Amino acid sequence: RYWRDWSSDVCSSDLVAIVQAPSAANAGNPQSVCGAVATLNGNIPVFGTGTWSVISGGGNLISPNDPSTEIRNLSAGPNVIQWTIETMPPCPSSSAQVTIVSIPKPELTNPLNAIICSGGTTSINLTANGPCSFTWLATDNPNTTGESTSLNNGPVISNTIINNSGSDQLVFYYVTPVSTLSNCAGDTETIIVTVTTTPVINAGRDTIAILNQPHQLLATGATTYLWSPTRSEEHTSELQSRQYLV
């Protein structure tokens, strides 16, 4: 700015700064997301710097000045996020808000481990923390037969599995719960089924017991045993015989 003081015939000037107003903020369209992670969609400012902030709900902004930043750990339900663009005073900032509804992912609540004998059936009832449908399949174990390696739908894993090896085998099932209320798919979880071998039991050689004396039986081939009959009995007759099964 320039002017002249005619009374003193002196010319003077000063500097006037012109500040550009910020671009109008646009926070993008409302979103509904499955889980607690979303990608924001603010406009790129032509003038000024943009900054995201959480107004209500919750969440961790990964890069608050990035128009397309990711926000994590959203609170379940609605979350209000604000995109503010500002330059310098005295120009006012420009703000816009967006609502992101976070739908919690369903999770399995049934046990994630099971043990069956070779030739047994899994019969695993799938349950979740809300109404769900389930998809599942197993990975192929070359030492077992009977596990379903194609995609299945249903709340029960029912496979009759045979262990063809001489050692216990693991069969891995991958299960995905899908909410029937929101159609939100949960994370795929792993259920491990241990298929034991069929033990070869030896109940010992036939033997002769001493009259009116207890007699110890000795079986081999397993780690635990169940005898039948289970009650110890004494021989009360020279001609009495009894068969024990293990």
Side-chain angles (χ1 to χ4, degrees):
R1 187 174 60 178
Y2 175 84
W3 72 93
R4 180 174 181 177
D5 185 346
W6 293 100
S7 62
S8 60
D9 199 25
V10 175
C11 295
S12 300
S13 66
D14 60 9
L15 181 65
V16 177
I18 300 175
V19 180
Q20 175 65 52
S23 301
N26 186 335
N29 296 323
Q31 301 182 48
S32 291
V33 297
C34 181
V37 178
T39 299
L40 300 175
N41 190 27
N43 63 314
I44 299 174
V46 177
F47 300 104
T49 301
T51 304
W52 289 105
S53 57
V54 178
I55 301 302
S56 64
N60 297 329
L61 293 158
I62 303 306
S63 300
N65 298 116
D66 181 358
S68 301
T69 187
E70 189 175 84
I71 183 169
R72 302 174 184 173
N73 301 318
L74 288 165
S75 298
N79 301 268
V80 178
I81 316 299
Q82 181 168 284
W83 179 235
T84 300
I85 301 175
E86 54 188 352
T87 52
M88 295 177 59
C91 293
S93 61
S94 175
S95 297
Q97 296 181 350
V98 63
T99 298
I100 301 176
V101 178
S102 172
I103 303 171
K105 290 184 178 181
E107 298 178 351
L108 293 181
T109 55
N110 56 274
L112 299 181
N113 294 278
I115 300 176
I116 63 171
C117 296
S118 178
T121 303
T122 53
S123 298
I124 300 172
N125 293 310
L126 301 174
T127 57
N129 57 350
C132 282
S133 60
F134 303 91
T135 59
W136 56 269
L137 58 78
T139 53
D140 180 56
N141 183 327
N143 295 317
T144 62
T145 55
E147 64 270 25
S148 179
T149 56
S150 59
L151 190 64
N152 293 267
N153 294 278
V156 179
I157 298 177
S158 182
N159 284 166
T160 300
I161 305 176
I162 297 174
N163 185 344
N164 301 309
S165 73
S167 60
D168 293 351
Q169 295 294 313
L170 300 179
V171 177
F172 295 88
Y173 285 89
Y174 299 95
V175 182
T176 303
V178 180
S179 172
T180 56
L181 299 178
S182 63
N183 203 36
C184 179
D187 294 328
T188 298
E189 300 189 56
T190 304
I191 296 178
I192 302 175
V193 176
T194 301
V195 185
T196 63
T197 58
T198 301
V200 179
I201 302 298
N202 188 334
R205 299 177 59 184
D206 294 343
T207 185
I208 299 175
I210 300 176
L211 181 65
N212 296 325
Q213 295 294 322
H215 185 77
Q216 183 176 10
L217 301 174
L218 179 62
T220 59
T223 54
T224 59
Y225 305 87
L226 178 64
W227 289 93
S228 177
T230 58
R231 188 174 68 87
S232 298
E233 296 185 9
E234 294 183 350
H235 294 277
T236 57
S237 155
E238 295 182 6
L239 301 179
Q240 181 182 9
S241 65
R242 181 175 295 277
Q243 184 181 60
Y244 288 87
L245 302 177
V246 63

